């Protein structure tokens, strides 16, 4: 009695890369782990705006971690010192040391870049 086994590498590759296959499950696990690190590293409420998805890429499935917070670009890249002026009112109003303060302009010192997404990517590997 003889047994013959044929291995079709193309079929195995397609099966592994297919939606719902082994590769997608492993990719989703890593993607969720990376997103959780990003949520932990993100400042303030920015972690609430982090989402994940799996897309079809040119060479198979691609995992995407995305932050849709409106200020994410300023956090990732940092800002230079700049002047803040009111847009719709005549003065700015804010709390400082428990007191309400009014000002026509404020000199913002800028912010240091905080690339929390890159740190999360490194931790999520």
């Amino acid at each position: 009695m003889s047994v013959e086994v044929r291995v079709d590498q193309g079929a195995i590759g397609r099966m592994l890369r297919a939606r719902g296959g082994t590769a997608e499950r492993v990719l989703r696990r890593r993607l969720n782990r990376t997103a959780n690190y990003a949520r932990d590293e993100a400042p303030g409420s920015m972690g609430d705006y982090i989402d994940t998805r799996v897309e079809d890429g040119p060479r198979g499935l691609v995992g995407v971690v995305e932050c849709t917070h409106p200020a994410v670009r300023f956090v990732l890249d940092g800002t230079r010192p700049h002047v803040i002026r009111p847009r719709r009112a005549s003065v700015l109003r804010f709390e400082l040391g428990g007191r309400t303060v009014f000002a026509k302009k404020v000199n913002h010192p800028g912010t240091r870049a905080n690339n929390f997404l890159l740190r999360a990517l490194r931790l999520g590997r």
Side-chain angles (χ1 to χ4, degrees):
M1 173 157 99
S2 70
V3 175
E4 184 177 307
V5 177
R6 291 188 182 184
V7 178
D8 183 355
Q9 290 179 339
I12 291 173
R14 285 190 300 277
M15 179 186 72
L16 288 174
R17 287 188 301 272
R19 288 285 187 167
T22 305
E24 184 178 5
R25 286 194 302 272
V26 170
L27 179 62
R28 283 194 188 277
R29 269 198 306 270
R30 281 191 166 184
L31 197 58
N32 289 331
R33 184 172 58 219
T34 302
N36 287 334
Y37 282 127
R39 287 184 191 101
D40 292 342
E41 294 277 328
S45 65
M46 204 167 279
D48 298 339
Y49 291 84
I50 293 175
D51 198 17
T52 62
R53 67 180 181 276
V54 175
E55 298 177 347
D56 291 317
R59 294 179 11 185
L61 298 176
V62 176
V64 178
V65 177
E66 177 182 38
C67 183
T68 58
H69 191 279
V72 70
R73 200 74 252 163
F74 302 115
V75 171
L76 294 176
D77 296 338
T79 60
R80 296 187 335 199
H82 58 280
V83 175
I84 300 175
R85 289 188 169 82
R87 288 185 180 182
R88 292 181 284 275
S90 59
V91 293
L92 297 168
R93 178 184 182 269
F94 54 94
E95 299 286 325
L96 185 64
R99 293 181 20 223
T100 302
V101 178
F102 297 93
K104 291 228 180 246
K105 69 176 186 171
V106 175
N107 292 317
H108 191 282
T111 57
R112 183 176 285 163
N114 176 3
N115 200 339
F116 65 93
L117 288 175
L118 181 59
R119 283 196 310 276
L121 180 62
R122 288 182 177 150
L123 290 169
R125 286 183 175 200

